[in-house]
Amino acid sequence: MRIGMKLLAVFCAVFTATHLAQAATVTLSPTDIHGNDTNTASFSNGDLTLTPFIGATQDTFNGNPTRLGLDNAGTNNNAFNDPDTDPNNGNEEILEFIFSPLAGLSQIVWDFSRADGPGPDDAVTISGFVSDPGATITPGVSVTNPNTVSFSGGVLSLDITGQNFGGALDSVTLANPGASAGQTLILKVTDTTQGGAQLAIRSISYETIPEPTSLVLFGLAGICMISRRR
């Protein structure tokens, strides 16, 4: 009986250490995504695929190690931008996110960005969520006019004030990564009041989500812990 309990304890220790570590946050820098190569047309690591477009045409990433954008496009190749005030004429720079069923968007960090006109198309928009991602936006220290965030109809809208066009790091953090798990998200930056609205991405983070079978295993891990105490 004691040998059986000892074996159970060893199994539980190994099992718990292995399976309780499954959920994790992964942060990708621009270099992680394009490898400093301006010929990179897409990034994929099994959890997330990132592809840049101009309108409906696939493009290539820039090679900047600090800020993610499109190579030789728009008004700034170190950001995703719209070079004019028309949000629907096909020259908007777009970033497509395709998540595996076990991964979801958790944060985007940026600097030198702006998109804050008065209309519904004057924002950084991320469409494709299946539920409210629980977004909160954190302004950098140079902000005097606060950034705002809203969600409706599967679309997350970020109004980024031009007064923050000074390099301070800002971010949007999503409390519910499951809102984009297995989904395709489309990020676009437009502003009908200013040409050159842009988002200079410093990093993208996503959270891996345990498989449903792992949730059952979590329950077994709890039983193991109880048995070990006994």
Side-chain angles (χ1 to χ4, degrees):
M1 181 69 177
R2 289 182 179 178
I3 294 177
M5 291 301 293
K6 287 182 179 179
L7 289 175
L8 177 61
V10 171
F11 167 78
C12 288
V14 174
F15 176 90
T16 303
T18 301
H19 292 281
L20 292 185
Q22 287 191 12
T25 299
V26 178
T27 297
L28 301 172
S29 70
T31 297
D32 295 327
I33 294 166
H34 55 53
N36 297 328
D37 185 350
T38 57
N39 294 315
T40 301
S42 189
F43 163 86
S44 183
N45 64 0
D47 291 322
L48 171 63
T49 299
L50 295 169
T51 307
F53 292 85
I54 297 179
T57 303
Q58 186 173 349
D59 205 81
T60 58
F61 289 111
N62 64 351
N64 188 301
T66 305
R67 298 178 182 89
L68 188 67
L70 272 67
D71 188 37
N72 299 317
T75 57
N76 182 359
N77 62 1
N78 294 320
F80 284 83
N81 70 87
D82 185 2
D84 54 39
T85 58
D86 186 343
N88 300 301
N89 63 356
N91 64 354
E92 305 81 35
E93 298 178 7
I94 292 168
L95 180 60
E96 178 188 74
F97 302 69
I98 301 178
F99 286 99
S100 76
L102 302 178
L105 184 64
S106 60
Q107 188 179 66
I108 298 176
V109 178
W110 64 84
D111 66 359
F112 288 109
S113 301
R114 56 186 177 187
D116 64 346
D121 291 320
D122 301 333
V124 177
T125 58
I126 308 175
S127 59
F129 292 97
V130 294
S131 60
D132 189 341
T136 55
I137 195 168
T138 302
V141 295
S142 69
V143 173
T144 56
N145 184 22
N147 303 327
T148 60
V149 59
S150 61
F151 177 78
S152 178
V155 180
L156 182 66
S157 297
L158 311 174
D159 286 334
I160 301 177
T161 173
Q163 293 190 28
N164 189 38
F165 199 66
L169 292 180
D170 291 349
S171 64
V172 60
T173 301
L174 311 181
N176 179 20
S180 55
Q183 303 304 306
T184 296
L185 302 183
I186 300 296
L187 181 150
K188 182 168 68 171
V189 186
T190 59
D191 197 322
T192 59
T193 64
Q194 61 177 334
Q198 62 187 45
L199 184 70
I201 296 175
R202 294 290 294 266
S203 68
I204 295 171
S205 298
Y206 66 87
E207 186 171 320
T208 58
I209 302 166
E211 299 179 70
T213 53
S214 294
L215 298 179
V216 175
L217 295 177
F218 287 160
L220 291 176
I223 294 172
C224 286
M225 294 175 72
I226 293 172
S227 298
R228 186 167 57 185
R229 288 179 181 176
R230 289 179 178 176

